Amino acid sequence: MKFQRWVVRVHKWSALVVGLQVLLWIGGGFGMALMPIGEVRGEHRMAPAAPLAAEPGTVTDLAAAARAAGFRTLDSARLVSHLSSPAWLLQSGDRTALVDAGTTRLLTPLDAAGAQAVARGDYAGPGTAGTAEWLEEAPWYYAGPVPVWRVAIDGDDGRMIFIAPDTGQIVSRRSDSWRLFDVFWRLHIMDYRDGSNINNPLLISAAGFALLFTLSGLTLLVLRLRRVLHAARHSGARP
């Protein structure tokens, strides 16, 4: 009986510790399940990607593009679409540059007007692209690299588009729907800092207490069944 009392204490204390978090896990998962993931990611407001149109003989060679970017060597090179025109995305060491593939004009770092143009080309919805804002510190709902351009879309769910100045590429899309989903996500994984660490100590501790709660409950069930069976055998009744 001493063992049973010890198991009961473990069961009660683990229930006390993990009870609220189980509610948050269920509530967070339920909230995320109710939100269409495509709308959370902003996919329903993305303009269809234009095909990369590059006629033979109109794309400059890599050597000319590298010279335009001031690179002596290249670690990688990729032909991408920038404002519906082909461009070379080049990387050399820790430097990145975007070069117009037709004119070898250096396109980056983007200025505010360039960032606005990229946002307008990406967005297909009822809102309008506002001014581009230069950020050197990341807001809580954006965990990407900085500095970055942020273009707010006026009149559409608090939507924002983040554009990397050194590549001209969109690195993130955010909205009020995304921010609500992120709250549910943080409650679910217990990471209240940046919402990216599923191995954080709080989650591991809560999962450990949940395991103790389950094991102690199963142990109490087994002990209870043994007592019932024992009483049934001694009374001559069928279990």
Side-chain angles (χ1 to χ4, degrees):
M1 300 306 293
K2 184 177 180 180
F3 173 71
Q4 182 173 339
R5 287 196 297 270
W6 181 83
V7 174
V8 169
R9 291 193 186 99
V10 171
H11 191 67
K12 288 182 177 179
W13 282 105
S14 58
L16 181 63
V17 172
V18 82
L20 177 59
Q21 184 53 43
V22 168
L23 180 62
L24 294 177
W25 282 338
I26 296 172
F30 181 68
M32 289 188 290
L34 290 177
M35 303 180 69
I37 192 62
E39 293 185 13
V40 170
R41 293 171 177 165
E43 295 171 356
H44 65 307
R45 295 298 194 222
M46 291 171 55
L52 184 59
E55 297 293 333
T58 63
V59 176
T60 57
D61 59 49
L62 275 175
R67 286 194 298 271
F71 293 162
R72 294 185 178 182
T73 60
L74 289 176
D75 294 326
S76 67
R78 183 161 56 97
L79 197 62
V80 299
S81 179
H82 178 74
L83 302 180
S84 302
S85 298
W88 285 111
L89 182 59
L90 310 175
Q91 183 171 359
S92 178
D94 59 354
R95 296 177 58 204
T96 307
L98 191 68
V99 177
D100 189 296
T103 65
T104 67
R105 181 172 64 93
L106 185 62
L107 301 173
T108 54
L110 285 184
D111 57 13
Q116 275 185 301
V118 170
R120 284 195 299 268
D122 174 77
Y123 178 72
T128 56
T131 58
E133 183 180 0
W134 178 262
L135 301 180
E136 296 189 356
E137 293 185 4
W140 68 269
Y141 50 84
Y142 169 75
V146 288
V148 68
W149 286 109
R150 178 178 64 187
V151 179
I153 305 298
D154 300 328
D156 186 7
D157 192 28
R159 198 167 306 279
M160 297 175 179
I161 299 175
F162 294 82
I163 303 105
D166 56 343
T167 67
Q169 305 296 297
I170 293 173
V171 292
S172 188
R173 299 172 183 87
R174 295 291 183 260
S175 65
D176 290 342
S177 297
W178 187 97
R179 284 181 275 273
L180 178 59
F181 186 92
D182 188 57
V183 170
F184 288 137
W185 170 254
R186 292 178 189 232
L187 291 176
H188 197 64
I189 69 168
M190 297 185 70
D191 181 13
Y192 306 114
R193 298 184 62 185
D194 59 11
S196 64
N197 184 10
I198 62 172
N199 303 113
N200 65 80
L202 279 175
L203 181 59
I204 293 172
S205 299
F209 277 107
L211 181 60
L212 278 177
F213 174 75
T214 303
L215 293 176
S216 60
L218 289 174
T219 303
L220 290 173
L221 177 62
V222 170
L223 293 175
R224 173 64 177 169
L225 288 175
R226 286 180 61 186
R227 287 201 306 272
V228 170
L229 292 173
H230 180 76
R233 282 196 300 267
H234 282 76
S235 65
R238 295 181 61 185

